[in-house]
Amino acid sequence: MTSILLVALWAQGLFAQDTEWLDYGGGPHARRFSELSEINASNVARLAPKWIYQTGVGGKFETVPLITRGRMFLTGPANHAWALDLLTGRPLWHINPGMPDGINACCGPMNRGFAISGERLFKVTFEGDLIAYDLSTGKPIWKKTLADFKKGYSATGAPLVVKNLVLTGIAGAEFGTRGFVDAYDVATGERKWRFWTVPTYDEPGGKTWPKDFHERGGGSTWVTGTYDPELNLVYWGTGNPGPDMDGDVRPGDNLYTCSVVALDADTGKLKWHFQFTPHDVHDWDAVGDPTLADIVVKGAPVKALLFPNRNGFYYTLDRTNGKLIAAKPFTKVSWATEIKADGKPALVAGQDPSDDGVKSCPGLGGGHNWWATSYSPQSKLHYFGSIDGCQIYFKTEQPFVEGAWYQASTTAAIPAEPSTASLVAVDPVTAETKWRVELAKAPSGGVLSTAGGLVFYGDQDGWLAAYDAKSGKVLWRFQTGGQIAAPPVSYRFRGKQYLALVAGGAVIAFGLP
Amino acid sequence: MLAMLVLLAQSSPADIEAGKATFRIYCSPCHGRNAEGGPRGPDLTLRGERDPAQVIADGVPGSEMRAYRSTFSTDNVERLVAYIRSRERAPEAVAGNAAAGERIFWGKGGCGACHLVGERGKHFGPDLTRIGRARGLANLRESTVNPDADLVGGYRGVSVTTRDGKTIRGRELGYDAFSVRLADSNGAYHSFLRDEVASVAIEKRSLMPAFRGSPSELNDLLAYLSSLKGDSR
């Protein structure tokens, strides 16, 4: 009976139906795992570009293109965005509203992509607006200002659609701002809730700060969160406390910075939190989108949340309650000897920045930074990029000036000990590293894994490569000619599997001959 | 000059401290932590002819010093200048004889085999035409006797061993996950795919040998290097 049904489905072409890529994380679990296997280890060596669209726009493209209804929707730096035809890559519409002058931001006018709901697209502007667009025309429908860019706020992350809400975070923790996650009604743009990542003194968690510090406590939310429909929880990573390097002015754990927070999707109320780096003084944002995996630990199924951290440890948490399941370093770590069973780090003395400088590992960028990760339920491994090394951390007393850089010093490289980098595969059950491939330079892109047993990763030199998911062996590579600063996506279009990404300012779709 | 006096009169210890914080973040990667010169930027503790506020705002065309007009408010520039002024010191006395140092440079020191001064020499190591402006004496001394201490970006050594056992060593022109490009000391260009050679190694040490002359020869050489200000000779 089953086989008859299968044959019937096959005859109707249902197995070859087009597939979509509808959000930043590649599905509600943010695994960036494609179920497609037409491109696999046996034929990936023949993968080649099918079309290229030159945007003509410079800067760094951190966008994850969305694929639906025969079209591709992508954003670019400096508030650009496009809709392209999926068959040819030819443009359908282009948004270029410009940017106001005087935006203070740490790292350039990046944007990581659209979110989609029905006939609407949503994206943030660098100056901190959330805008809903008509998918067909690119015309704006509503616009909400998240925060005042003159105070140091900016926005770069892809929004996240959760039922009838569109959620977004904010950037700016290097400017004495206060982080939040916002939820807006998809239809009207009305704000339904806001979760502040830094509580006021009298709220729960508030006593982990000095009095009246919350307005400049940091804890930005610049990378997209993840939604678990079954638990109705939204998980969001939070950034560093401010000022970054001078912790003396903010004694305490500084909740909920450098944490992952689990929020009720309907109300934004905090369900639980897990702080990776209490009282951070190394700018180790807990960025990255939390990846959700269903794993088996000691024979029991666990709804897990996976989080390779900027602080050098890999964490597996129980996503129903935030309890630690496993944590191990995936790179050189000097600030803590281990993560204890209660989730707290066993600290090493003398690792805080000082006026003369203190060597600490990892360096300021991590560890694992925001670069998108991928979990393959097929190989049961979690793939991500890592910087491996140490830096000298300095501390300087810095007066707070609204809207001004508020880092209280910086770091320096150690000339005799240059950092290296790697692509890492970790088993989330034990948090142990299963394989590691050395990279030439710090990661800039992200990872996609597929049911074809492949892991795709692009680097800052423009190489896009396919690795064997089990061993890390390189199976294919292509020089795209521009920096790759986002993960590829994969989809089936008119019966064939494709891979797409932006390299430099060029959108490229790859397929088999 | 009047503007300068006004600025000096206005800068308080708090301004200097704030300027220092900004300096550490934006300027120290090139100019060193204490403004005494660094990997790419000149020593700012020796007063130059140009107004630092103008240099910060407009940058230096043709150099790596970009314009920071849109980055800093006028107040912040003033605080930066206040800090830089607070670090000023008298130039270090150069003990050696520049003319004798010039002979060492082009003669037994062998420096000209890899370095350019104006039109003369070779561009394998860094161009030293303006090195007396770019570096203080302490940095020059360190780089001469211990070249590994402060490696200048873009001059990293790399060696490639081919599958037939040949080793090619030179200055790295490009290095990534799958390829490497280099110039050997004769200026010849080489390019390899990494999976087509036996090994590729980035050298952690400088390609430059340490200077092995006597202390007085070293002083002479440093006197010559300090005299290189990019003036036509």
Side-chain angles (χ1 to χ4, degrees):
Chain A
M1 179 64 195
T2 309
S3 59
I4 293 169
L5 184 64
L6 285 176
V7 169
L9 286 169
W10 182 262
Q12 288 171 28
L14 284 180
F15 281 126
Q17 257 182 2
D18 289 359
T19 64
E20 303 176 297
W21 191 283
L22 291 175
D23 58 17
Y24 180 71
H29 294 87
R31 292 174 187 165
R32 289 184 190 77
F33 174 78
S34 166
E35 302 280 355
L36 303 176
S37 59
E38 181 194 331
I39 299 167
N40 55 53
S42 75
N43 59 22
V44 68
R46 293 188 283 135
L47 198 61
K50 290 299 182 184
W51 54 255
I52 300 177
Y53 174 66
Q54 300 280 358
T55 64
V57 169
K60 200 171 159 203
F61 279 71
E62 297 187 349
T63 187
V64 171
L66 303 189
I67 309 292
T68 183
R69 286 157 262 190
R71 281 160 285 178
M72 175 186 288
F73 301 95
L74 72 145
T75 67
N79 294 342
H80 285 273
W82 296 264
L84 307 180
D85 170 48
L86 208 49
L87 179 66
T88 59
R90 299 312 300 155
L92 297 165
W93 50 254
H94 174 204
I95 299 168
N96 180 19
M99 280 192 304
D101 289 334
I103 304 172
N104 265 337
C106 69
C107 317
M110 263 70 86
N111 188 284
R112 298 191 193 86
F114 279 118
I116 194 163
S117 174
E119 294 300 311
R120 289 181 182 191
L121 294 165
F122 305 90
K123 77 177 279 292
V124 293
T125 63
F126 188 51
E127 62 268 31
D129 304 308
L130 176 67
I131 304 181
Y133 295 95
D134 181 287
L135 177 145
S136 296
T137 61
K139 297 276 179 274
I141 298 167
W142 54 253
K143 170 174 164 176
K144 296 289 159 182
T145 297
L146 307 171
D148 183 358
F149 71 83
K150 295 191 181 74
K151 292 182 175 171
Y153 288 97
S154 54
T156 55
L160 174 71
V161 167
V162 173
K163 297 188 283 190
N164 63 333
L165 300 175
V166 53
L167 275 55
T168 177
I170 195 82
E174 270 67 52
F175 296 87
T177 60
R178 183 188 186 195
F180 55 81
V181 180
D182 272 1
Y184 296 85
D185 187 294
V186 161
T188 62
E190 186 193 346
R191 193 166 92 195
K192 293 296 186 182
W193 54 258
R194 167 170 288 187
F195 173 78
W196 290 106
T197 60
V198 180
T200 61
Y201 191 69
D202 296 323
E203 288 173 330
K207 302 288 189 293
T208 64
W209 294 89
K211 218 167 177 184
D212 299 326
F213 210 88
H214 59 275
E215 290 291 354
R216 56 176 150 132
S220 51
T221 46
W222 53 281
V223 178
T224 309
T226 310
Y227 175 58
D228 183 335
E230 222 173 286
L231 297 171
N232 198 36
L233 290 178
V234 171
Y235 305 96
W236 216 287
T238 66
N240 56 282
D244 304 42
M245 266 74 161
D246 184 6
D248 299 351
V249 299
R250 46 175 176 81
D253 277 355
N254 306 144
L255 291 173
Y256 301 96
T257 63
C258 298
S259 304
V260 60
V261 292
L263 309 175
D264 181 289
D266 300 321
T267 64
K269 293 274 181 287
L270 182 70
K271 178 91 183 285
W272 57 259
H273 76 276
F274 183 95
Q275 190 175 39
F276 303 101
T277 317
H279 189 71
D280 169 57
V281 285
H282 297 98
D283 193 7
W284 288 331
D285 292 48
V287 288
D289 42 337
T291 302
L292 311 185
D294 299 323
I295 60 174
V296 176
V297 182
K298 291 175 189 155
V302 173
K303 289 178 184 296
L305 181 151
L306 318 180
F307 214 117
N309 204 270
R310 199 153 149 175
N311 71 18
F313 284 93
Y314 183 94
Y315 297 78
T316 303
L317 308 179
D318 181 331
R319 72 174 182 266
T320 65
N321 57 23
K323 298 281 183 258
L324 181 72
I325 291 168
K328 284 205 175 71
F330 56 85
T331 186
K332 191 172 178 182
V333 166
S334 69
W335 66 282
T337 53
E338 60 166 340
I339 304 302
K340 296 180 283 190
D342 65 358
K344 304 266 191 242
L347 294 174
V348 174
Q351 287 283 300
D352 287 1
S354 75
D355 191 52
D356 292 329
V358 168
K359 176 180 161 180
S360 196
C361 331
L364 178 133
H368 173 74
N369 206 302
W370 66 274
W371 318 300
T373 73
S374 178
Y375 173 75
S376 163
Q378 189 183 63
S379 67
K380 298 186 167 47
L381 295 175
H382 192 193
Y383 306 96
F384 56 91
S386 169
I387 305 178
D388 311 309
C390 315
Q391 277 188 318
I392 308 288
Y393 288 81
F394 298 104
K395 179 176 78 175
T396 307
E397 280 180 39
Q398 184 177 2
F400 172 70
V401 178
E402 186 178 89
W405 189 255
Y406 189 48
Q407 194 183 19
S409 210
T410 186
T411 57
I414 307 168
E417 293 177 44
S419 290
T420 56
S422 48
L423 178 63
V424 183
V426 167
D427 175 1
V429 175
T430 59
E432 269 166 16
T433 301
K434 292 298 178 188
W435 57 255
R436 175 183 290 274
V437 175
E438 198 185 326
L439 303 173
K441 287 166 201 163
S444 67
V447 189
L448 165 79
S449 63
T450 74
L454 300 174
V455 168
F456 290 91
Y457 169 77
D459 71 18
Q460 59 170 290
D461 294 308
W463 288 105
L464 175 64
Y467 300 83
D468 182 293
K470 288 206 176 92
S471 67
K473 186 181 175 224
V474 177
L475 300 174
W476 169 81
R477 58 162 193 259
F478 182 82
Q479 174 53 246
T480 61
Q483 179 182 19
I484 298 170
V489 300
S490 192
Y491 54 93
R492 190 194 282 126
F493 176 64
R494 300 194 181 171
K496 286 189 170 177
Q497 184 184 356
Y498 292 87
L499 206 77
L501 84 173
V502 188
V507 191
I508 312 177
F510 292 87
L512 292 170
Chain B
M1 188 63 191
L2 186 62
M4 190 66 68
L5 286 172
V6 169
L7 187 61
L8 278 176
Q10 281 176 343
S11 49
S12 66
D15 288 337
I16 292 171
E17 203 53 36
K20 177 173 148 187
T22 309
F23 188 91
R24 288 266 163 100
I25 293 162
Y26 286 95
C27 317
S28 67
C30 292
H31 293 284
R33 254 175 63 70
N34 299 309
E36 290 165 3
R40 280 168 295 172
D43 185 341
L44 302 178
T45 65
L46 308 168
R47 182 180 280 242
E49 305 108 57
R50 299 189 213 197
D51 171 12
Q54 201 184 343
V55 172
I56 294 166
D58 299 338
V60 178
S63 83
E64 290 168 84
M65 177 68 193
R66 71 169 174 90
Y68 284 85
R69 187 180 296 283
S70 60
T71 310
F72 300 128
S73 65
T74 313
D75 286 358
N76 265 331
V77 171
E78 285 175 7
R79 291 187 194 109
L80 269 175
V81 173
Y83 170 67
I84 291 166
R85 292 297 188 213
S86 79
R87 297 284 308 151
E88 276 183 358
R89 57 183 176 168
E92 281 174 274
V94 180
N97 176 315
E102 182 169 9
R103 287 192 293 276
I104 293 167
F105 188 96
W106 298 109
K108 70 189 266 193
C111 315
C114 293
H115 292 286
L116 271 181
V117 176
E119 305 276 296
R120 194 174 168 196
K122 258 201 199 161
H123 193 183
F124 184 64
D127 183 339
L128 302 181
T129 308
R130 291 170 50 87
I131 198 69
R133 275 191 211 285
R135 292 288 198 278
L137 196 58
N139 183 282
L140 286 177
R141 182 183 297 274
E142 182 185 55
S143 295
T144 307
V145 297
N146 179 16
D148 300 334
D150 183 13
L151 291 177
V152 179
Y155 293 92
R156 196 158 69 151
V158 62
S159 59
V160 174
T161 304
T162 59
R163 286 194 180 153
D164 56 5
K166 258 193 292 184
T167 295
I168 298 111
R169 187 165 179 256
R171 173 158 69 90
E172 181 221 309
L173 301 175
Y175 172 84
D176 58 43
F178 299 105
S179 70
V180 61
R181 296 164 290 289
L182 62 142
D184 68 23
S185 58
N186 297 317
Y189 175 75
H190 304 266
S191 169
F192 301 96
L193 287 170
R194 293 177 65 175
D195 55 10
E196 290 175 5
V197 298
S199 69
V200 176
I202 290 291
E203 306 204 359
K204 290 192 173 146
R205 302 172 64 95
S206 172
L207 288 167
M208 178 176 131
F211 182 71
R212 294 192 197 287
S214 70
S216 77
E217 285 172 327
L218 176 62
N219 279 339
D220 291 344
L221 182 61
L222 294 175
Y224 172 61
L225 293 173
S226 299
S227 75
L228 298 176
K229 302 277 171 70
D231 314 321
S232 50
R233 299 172 68 81

